[in-house]
Amino acid sequence: MGIDGEEALLQRKQSTYLSLDETFEIRKETYRGQQYSQIYFARLHLMRTLLYSLVPNWKPSLPVCTVLELEGGKECIIVGTLYKHMKLKPSILDEYSKERSATPLVKPHNFMHPDDHLVLEDESGRVKLSGTMLLPSAYVTGLVVALHGKETGAGDFLVLEILEAGLAPQIELPLKSREDKYVVLVSGLSIGSSTSNPLQFQLLVDHITGHLGDEKQQDIAAQIVHVVIAGNSVEIPHGLLNNLASKDQSSHSDPIQELDILLTQIAAGVPLDIMPGVNDPANFSLPQQALNRCLFPGSAAYNTFRSCTNPHCFELDNIRFLGTSGQNIDDLQKYSEAKDQLEFMERTLKWRHLAPTAPNTLGCYPFTDRDPFMIESCPHVYFAGNMDKYDTHLLKGSEGQLVRLVSIPKFSKTGIAVVVNLRNLECHTLSFGTQFSS
Amino acid sequence: MATRSSSKSIEGFYKQKKNTTTTKKTSKRKSPKHAATVGSDVTQPTALISHGSLDLKDDYDKNEEVLRQFDMNMAYGPCLGMTRLARWERATRLGLNPPKEIEGLLKGGEVQAECLWQDRV
């Protein structure tokens, strides 16, 4: 094609963005020496109120009582927080009983054991749960559920049926008379680690900004309205952190500077959200606060650049997105089992709680009057970053809810980014490789 | 006032006093403190004095008693780590309907803002 002044410039599509992260911010919280009992109380109270409203539809004829009011042999319903007693769960006291060795006493793997058992607890007391209905392998500490059963002679509670909160009510999807608009979800860039390939991420950036491909490709790229980076964007080698006074201190910030250069290229063209992950320079306990804008001098100059909390909740054209950088799913994987990571994600939605293991095994801020991880309104797209592989599923709820579950793989390992179409919630991948397979 | 010291049984440190002036019960609250002072007649070891004043029963009035009952009520959740007013407000927000007089006491009078166990555990 010659120089043709009539060629129209491709315009990128736009969408309205609404951030709902206020509940995850801890700027206004003050620490007054409170312990985690406060957040457990808030969680129990809010979930119990919810479950009490669901119980009449589930078992209308049975009485509801507290743990202390249980009478032997009488069938009833109790509501409380589950506690899973795990034999292999690492205990801080083991450090004092075992000999100190160079290797860490805890290795991240699954801590399940056939002898694990569940206990239900509310303010009045706790009771051990027995029976074959409730498999300890599928549940974790911190869930609030309603149980139908009866107390046995041994003092246990024999569980006959369990009621979970189920999917939250969902705001209906806007009508489908719209055009294709794509959202790119990527995570685990791990810039600065030995496994990340800078060319792969550069290819992704070039594709999103429309520098790759012919007109058709650029047309597709022009339909990308938003990019979300779900955690673990940098990886600062651990050896460097041990020697902070060394002369090459500037090399500590190299990964972040490299990330900033690449993010500037994206932010110049598309709205971008970046979430912190486990390896990022943010606080450790959930909800992780937004990465400081000083880390991104180049990209922060653009108003399309947003540094967000983890978990992150936002609405694009009234379609609600909710997701985390993966710590909640990883923690569930250590203390329970499911056929794949997507099933853990589905369970968290059904339990109406993003991170039930917080604060038991997952670091969490000690809130006093609320539990921000409770899912009030069911999202339309639910994602988790830094998963082992790409997977997706369209979950249908009992009241017509429709959720697109997306498990975003680590980009540094797989070279795969996920694209969600806002028109019909369909999902596909963008995969970048730098080697020709033979 | 009869003190029985040098006795190894519970009477050795559980000082019993006849209530001649008030009808308040002293038994339940006194014993934990006295467990550390077997045989001595110090009523309040200095380490356990909170808020700069001796915590004898005649030092708190019925307002404080009402507030202590509010602290101990399990329906409103744990009391440690929150001011009483914050806990009352949380209870209201969660729909638990705590008695309004507590709010009046906390906002008006000169009562202790922190819960019963503050600085003691």
Side-chain angles (χ1 to χ4, degrees), chain A residues 32-35 37-39 41-42 45-46 48-49 123 368-370, chain B residues 74-83 90 93-96 114 118:
Chain A
R32 311 193 80 255
Q34 67 265 30
Q35 298 185 3
S37 55
Q38 308 282 2
I39 188 176
F41 169 71
H45 182 81
L46 293 167
R48 188 167 49 188
T49 315
E123 301 109 333
T368 51
D369 53 357
R370 63 199 174 93
Chain B
M74 272 276 67
Y76 307 126
C79 66
L80 254 187
M82 294 179 86
T83 59
R90 173 179 76 180
R93 242 177 297 137
L94 291 178
L96 294 163
E114 303 288 339
Q118 187 73 14

Side-chain angles (χ1 to χ4, degrees), chain A residues 213-232:
Chain A
D214 61 352
E215 257 193 45
K216 260 181 77 177
Q217 284 275 12
Q218 292 177 335
D219 207 23
I220 295 174
Q223 295 173 330
I224 296 177
V225 291
H226 206 80
V227 176
V228 179
I229 301 183
N232 287 354

Side-chain angles (χ1 to χ4, degrees), chain B residues 5 11 16 20 23 25-26 30-31 33 36 43 53 63 65-68 77 79 96 104-105 112-113 115-116:
Chain B
S5 49
E11 283 109 355
Q16 305 197 46
T20 51
T23 50
K25 274 206 284 234
T26 62
K30 287 279 193 182
S31 36
K33 296 195 190 58
T43 58
S53 62
N63 281 343
E65 175 67 28
V66 166
L67 288 173
R68 283 184 182 196
C79 66
L96 294 163
L105 280 179
Q112 195 178 307
C115 85
L116 166 64

Side-chain angles (χ1 to χ4, degrees), chain B residues 52-114:
Chain B
S53 62
L54 291 178
D55 186 36
L56 301 172
K57 69 160 168 62
D58 25 333
D59 223 19
Y60 73 94
D61 54 359
K62 62 173 178 55
N63 281 343
E64 180 68 15
E65 175 67 28
V66 166
L67 288 173
R68 283 184 182 196
Q69 288 303 320
F70 171 66
D71 281 343
M72 290 282 92
N73 193 339
M74 272 276 67
Y76 307 126
C79 66
L80 254 187
M82 294 179 86
T83 59
R84 282 169 167 165
L85 188 57
R87 185 158 171 267
W88 189 91
E89 279 166 359
R90 173 179 76 180
T92 319
R93 242 177 297 137
L94 291 178
L96 294 163
N97 287 328
K100 281 233 173 290
E101 54 162 355
I102 310 258
E103 186 193 16
L105 280 179
L106 290 169
K107 285 197 173 151
E110 295 141 8
V111 289
Q112 195 178 307
E114 303 288 339

Side-chain angles (χ1 to χ4, degrees), chain A residues 15-275:
Chain A
S15 59
T16 50
Y17 177 88
L18 178 66
S19 166
L20 298 161
D21 279 346
E22 211 181 305
T23 173
F24 301 121
E25 284 172 11
I26 56 178
R27 231 177 319 148
K28 299 184 197 91
E29 304 282 333
T30 45
Y31 181 64
R32 311 193 80 255
Q34 67 265 30
Q35 298 185 3
Y36 288 125
S37 55
Q38 308 282 2
I39 188 176
Y40 274 122
F41 169 71
R43 184 186 299 178
L44 175 61
H45 182 81
L46 293 167
M47 289 290 296
R48 188 167 49 188
T49 315
L50 173 67
L51 285 168
Y52 278 172
S53 67
L54 296 175
V55 159
N57 287 339
W58 180 50
K59 304 260 171 194
S61 52
L62 289 173
V64 177
C65 60
T66 64
V67 167
L68 217 52
E69 290 167 5
L70 277 178
E71 285 168 29
K74 190 173 100 164
E75 272 190 36
C76 60
I77 296 180
I78 51 174
V79 180
T81 314
L82 278 180
Y83 174 76
K84 183 153 113 171
H85 182 90
M86 301 183 78
K87 202 161 144 169
L88 296 178
K89 181 172 153 195
S91 160
I92 191 87
L93 300 173
D94 291 343
E95 281 188 22
Y96 295 95
S97 59
K98 293 201 173 98
E99 306 233 327
R100 288 211 164 244
S101 56
T103 54
L105 287 170
V106 176
K107 290 194 185 55
H109 68 288
N110 194 286
F111 297 111
M112 289 175 45
H113 191 272
D115 285 346
D116 295 339
H117 62 265
L118 291 169
V119 173
L120 190 84
E121 184 175 318
D122 68 5
E123 301 109 333
S124 59
R126 34 163 50 193
V127 65
K128 185 160 173 240
L129 301 175
S130 61
T132 50
M133 272 305 305
L134 217 53
L135 288 172
S137 58
Y139 297 94
V140 285
T141 301
L143 293 175
V144 179
V145 291
L147 296 175
H148 161 222
K150 57 179 179 235
E151 191 185 357
T152 62
D156 296 347
F157 187 79
L158 179 69
V159 178
L160 299 170
E161 239 183 292
I162 178 171
L163 173 70
E164 296 164 350
L167 288 180
Q170 190 183 56
I171 301 168
E172 267 200 48
L173 261 183
L175 296 170
K176 293 191 193 249
S177 59
R178 288 158 312 117
E179 30 183 13
D180 283 338
K181 284 188 187 173
Y182 297 107
V183 177
V184 173
L185 303 169
V186 68
S187 78
L189 302 170
S190 298
I191 294 178
S193 79
S194 49
T195 53
S196 80
N197 185 346
L199 182 55
Q200 267 183 335
F201 189 43
Q202 186 66 56
L203 278 175
L204 174 65
V205 171
D206 285 343
H207 173 82
I208 293 173
T209 52
H211 288 108
L212 267 188
D214 61 352
E215 257 193 45
K216 260 181 77 177
Q217 284 275 12
Q218 292 177 335
D219 207 23
I220 295 174
Q223 295 173 330
I224 296 177
V225 291
H226 206 80
V227 176
V228 179
I229 301 183
N232 287 354
S233 318
V234 292
E235 196 173 299
I236 302 171
H238 283 287
L240 277 183
L241 289 172
N242 286 338
N243 199 3
L244 282 173
S246 68
K247 288 226 176 73
D248 35 62
Q249 224 178 18
S250 58
S251 62
H252 295 157
S253 57
D254 281 347
I256 302 181
Q257 283 174 354
E258 213 182 304
L259 177 66
D260 187 35
I261 292 171
L262 292 161
L263 292 186
T264 312
Q265 297 172 27
I266 306 181
V270 192
L272 168 69
D273 283 357
I274 181 162
M275 293 163 58

Side-chain angles (χ1 to χ4, degrees), chain A residues 365-427:
Chain A
Y365 181 84
F367 293 97
T368 51
D369 53 357
R370 63 199 174 93
D371 187 347
F373 303 113
M374 281 181 54
I375 301 174
E376 308 278 334
S377 162
C378 192
H380 298 105
V381 178
Y382 180 51
F383 61 90
N386 301 295
M387 299 280 100
D388 296 332
K389 62 179 177 46
Y390 163 69
D391 207 351
T392 182
H393 178 59
L394 192 61
L395 181 64
K396 294 191 172 65
S398 57
E399 288 159 26
Q401 298 104 329
L402 214 60
V403 193
R404 167 62 67 188
L405 300 175
V406 182
S407 135
I408 313 172
K410 297 189 179 83
F411 190 79
S412 59
K413 283 214 176 74
T414 58
I416 292 178
V418 184
V419 181
V420 179
N421 189 345
L422 289 184
R423 180 173 63 86
N424 49 17
L425 292 187
E426 266 172 25
C427 206

